[in-house]
Amino acid sequence: MPAHLPADDDDARYLALKARDARFDGRFFTGVTSTGIYCRPVCAVRTPRRENCRFFTLAAQAESAGFRPCLRCRPELAPQALAWSVQDASGILVRQALRLLDAPEAWSTDGGGALVAQLAHRLGVSDRHLRRIFEAALGVSPLQYLQTRRLLAAKQLLTDTRLPVTQVALASGFASVRRFNAAFSTHYGLNPTQLRREGGAHPGAARPVHLGLRPPYDAAALLGFLATRQIHGMESVDPQGLRRTVRLAVGDVQYTGWIDARFDRKDQPGPRVALTASDSLLPTLPQVIARVRALLDLDADPAAINAVLHPAFPLGDGLRVPGCFDGFELAVRAVLGQQITVAAARTLVQRLLERFGEPIATPWPGLRLLFPAPATLAAAEGDALGQLGIVRQRQAAIVALARAVLDGRIALHAGSDVEATTAALRQLPGIGDWTAQYIAMRALRWPDAFPAGDVALHKALGVRGAPQPARAALEAAQAWRPWRSYGVIRAWAALSNP
């Protein structure tokens, strides 16, 4: 079966449902009229009859039509359906709005109206226009979509953690337990305590949170990329997954702890990652989940990407773009990696961690330090950085970057405006286009980033001898749009493994 389905081909969706094809996980949901429940395509329950099935692109559409989420396949575990276009202006606007609404950092604790107004202002349109194109494209309002995202996040926390209901409500963006209970009961016909019992959560025991993904997924390649760059004392990467210490700011509150992400070998209901977080991070688990999904690129749509890149890279269909947990950390590491080898950059980052890192206790003796906070590096003296072997140009870049992040002038996460952020990065001393594009690729999660000045990329594209290799690389990669970030990863991989 082809991995692309026409938007109105419900018969093809039914065949994917019968096959439990994980390639379509998160790309549609099935509402079963005889039960009033909606499921993922990979659900292991008995396949419903065709006449009882209604198909939806988004979980919010299924809930708006009166269906409740399945407690077995758990729609909240499905990867997000991210699609990109460089032509349809309305489609681009809707997709960018979805991307921002999916970010837990954006979930306000009011009724949602203020958030939608802020979203419209950020996108440069009126509230009315945003609502109009949103409903025309998706059949639901921004508030309905937001409510579904909040409730599904709460459902995952209730099922997979021992957090008290009050903390679940606040972590999911609800202003009060009363509002949370009312919304939950209205949508799902259960109160939160009932769902926790029926979902099988065990309040006395820590449980991993499961994160869905779409195959093909080359976990070995992604983990190998991260392993060659791992910093001892902060990260540990092995063939099954990774562990690391993390720092996370939610509003004015700083959370620190550790995460352990393992690729689960079970194939029902679909391939997935088992994520365990320290108790200190549980109050902010939706943000942790979002960042781990970005770090491992779990929401990529291989079908759309491979439709463009497979002819040029037939062996790279499962490759993903490695992200990061902390955009500031990634940016500092990118600066330290300018014009030197990966091994040399790793040495500099290691020295920086040992000198400025913050001690932390974890279950693993090898994980003992947090990456330096922006405030720490913003106050770093030149001599202290120079003693680590960091040249003056990069000293200035690190301090300027830290101050810009600390002051809020630059935000390095997936919801940031890519064009404005990369322009602001290039204005900092010692940061050029290569560094800005690399940060956009891994920290901002921009699928069309392209570090045109990359020497290894020039070699992979065969343009090193061109009079202007960067321009030649840009021209050669036009066919990769809008997935040039993935093309870069595939080109690097092809260079390493001819």
Side-chain angles (χ1 to χ4, degrees), residues 78-158:
Q80 295 296 308
L82 300 180
W84 297 92
S85 169
V86 293
Q87 295 177 333
D88 180 7
S90 294
I92 292 171
L93 189 65
V94 170
R95 283 185 284 272
Q96 182 65 1
L98 288 174
R99 185 182 186 186
L100 295 172
L101 288 173
D102 283 335
E105 291 86 354
W107 300 349
S108 67
T109 54
D110 62 10
L115 175 60
V116 174
Q118 294 169 8
L119 178 62
H121 177 73
R122 180 168 179 176
L123 295 173
V125 297
S126 67
D127 296 17
R128 181 172 176 271
H129 182 63
L130 178 61
R131 289 193 299 271
R132 183 171 63 247
I133 64 169
F134 211 94
E135 294 188 18
L138 304 176
V140 295
S141 70
L143 285 180
Q144 286 174 310
Y145 182 85
L146 176 64
Q147 187 79 318
T148 298
R149 292 293 293 121
R150 287 168 165 169
L151 288 171
L152 287 178
K155 182 176 178 294
Q156 184 169 23
L157 296 181
L158 289 167

Side-chain angles (χ1 to χ4, degrees), residues 40 70 94 113 272 274 351 397 412 433 466:
R40 298 158 63 188
C70 176
V94 170
R272 59 190 186 178
R351 293 173 182 170
L412 300 173
D433 187 67

Side-chain angles (χ1 to χ4, degrees), residues 168-225:
V168 169
L170 295 176
S172 305
F174 290 89
S176 68
V177 176
R178 181 183 59 80
R179 289 186 183 180
F180 171 57
N181 286 337
F184 211 92
S185 177
T186 299
H187 278 71
Y188 298 155
L190 296 169
N191 65 45
T193 305
Q194 286 177 302
L195 181 111
R196 176 163 270 171
R197 285 199 300 267
E198 295 195 20
H202 303 287
R207 292 165 55 93
V209 177
H210 294 106
L211 314 177
L213 61 93
R214 297 182 191 91
Y217 187 105
D218 194 337
L222 185 137
L223 291 172
F225 183 97

Side-chain angles (χ1 to χ4, degrees), residues 50 70 156 298 319 438:
R50 173 65 181 87
C70 176
Q156 184 169 23
L298 300 182
L319 294 177
Y438 185 78

Side-chain angles (χ1 to χ4, degrees), residues 249-309:
V250 180
D252 296 329
V253 181
Q254 289 275 342
Y255 295 88
T256 60
W258 53 264
I259 58 170
D260 182 10
R262 306 278 109 188
F263 283 90
D264 197 330
R265 300 304 177 190
K266 297 178 182 178
D267 58 2
Q268 289 294 340
R272 59 190 186 178
V273 171
L275 169 67
T276 306
S278 62
D279 287 349
S280 59
L281 296 175
L282 292 183
T284 185
L285 195 54
Q287 287 86 347
V288 172
I289 290 171
R291 294 196 182 202
V292 172
R293 297 197 69 88
L295 168 62
L296 302 177
D297 198 13
L298 300 182
D299 291 322
D301 184 350
I305 298 166
N306 294 336
V308 174
L309 298 181

